[in-house]
Amino acid sequence: MRMQRGVGLVELMVALTIGVIMVAGLVQIFSANKQGFLVQQAQAQLQENTRLTMIMLASNIAKAGFHQNAQVDPADIFTATPLLLPISGVNNTSGSGALANTDTITIRFQGNNILTDCQGGTPGAGVISTNIYRVGSDNVLDCNNGDGTGFQPLVDNVADMQILYGVDTDGDNSVNQYLIAASVAN
């Protein structure tokens, strides 16, 4: 029998071709897995931001009009002028200071050293806290707690915020219609 002295050029080329195909397949699988991971991570971040936003807004909206002393008429604390309503909104079409066509909502409550404002501060007892939420021109939901420090970012990647007010049109204590801020009389 003749002894084999090495590998022929054809055999070497076939082995290299098979190896390159296998490496290309592995790179393709790795790339697809990485892309899938990034998509899942972005979706998880979006869901977390949505949850955080809804919890924050629901918590502050529930505080609207809160006042410490049940014996005091709320009208004595929150006067009927538009500037001091417990909750008010603006259907923003101009985009002035905010992203165009997004709404702004203002929530007021009386502090009691326990309740927190939109920036995590605790208004003192009897202090009226004003919380303004809007989507800024940089697609960030931000808030201002009325202390003159400007808007603070809360959640990023918010494309739009639309707030509709439920209205009871027939007096049965059930919402019959949802309207924008400009269409709500009371």
Side-chain angles (χ1 to χ4, degrees):
M1 289 188 27
R2 213 168 111 205
M3 303 236 350
Q4 184 176 2
R5 291 190 221 194
V7 179
L9 184 60
V10 172
E11 294 169 327
L12 184 61
M13 293 299 285
V14 168
L16 281 173
T17 303
I18 291 172
V20 166
I21 290 171
M22 289 179 65
V23 168
L26 289 174
V27 167
Q28 183 71 19
I29 290 170
F30 175 76
S31 177
N33 283 342
K34 182 178 178 183
Q35 185 66 25
F37 171 76
L38 293 175
V39 167
Q40 280 185 324
Q41 189 177 27
Q43 285 177 338
Q45 183 70 37
L46 179 64
Q47 287 175 345
E48 183 179 333
N49 286 350
T50 302
R51 238 181 267 119
L52 173 66
T53 302
M54 295 306 293
I55 288 169
M56 211 180 293
L57 283 172
S59 172
N60 264 306
I61 289 171
K63 296 175 196 172
F66 172 82
H67 58 285
Q68 289 179 223
N69 189 347
Q71 307 301 321
V72 176
D73 184 4
D76 293 338
I77 299 169
F78 304 101
T79 63
T81 62
L83 296 176
L84 293 177
L85 289 173
I87 190 166
S88 60
V90 175
N91 189 30
N92 186 12
T93 56
S94 68
S96 176
L99 191 63
N101 299 318
T102 64
D103 293 350
T104 300
I105 187 166
T106 302
I107 302 158
R108 291 180 183 82
F109 62 91
Q110 191 177 42
N112 63 355
N113 292 320
I114 298 172
L115 297 176
T116 57
D117 61 26
C118 66
Q119 295 179 1
T122 308
V127 175
I128 300 293
S129 177
T130 301
N131 298 279
I132 303 167
Y133 291 91
R134 70 169 192 193
V135 178
S137 57
D138 54 356
N139 287 348
V140 173
L141 176 69
D142 50 22
C143 80
N144 181 309
N145 64 0
D147 66 358
T149 59
F151 284 87
Q152 301 297 318
L154 298 175
V155 179
D156 60 351
N157 295 324
V158 178
D160 189 13
M161 179 172 70
Q162 297 297 317
I163 298 177
L164 298 175
Y165 297 81
V167 178
D168 176 15
T169 58
D170 58 9
D172 67 352
N173 294 325
S174 179
V175 173
N176 303 91
Q177 193 175 15
Y178 291 92
L179 303 171
I180 63 173
S183 300
V184 177
N186 182 359

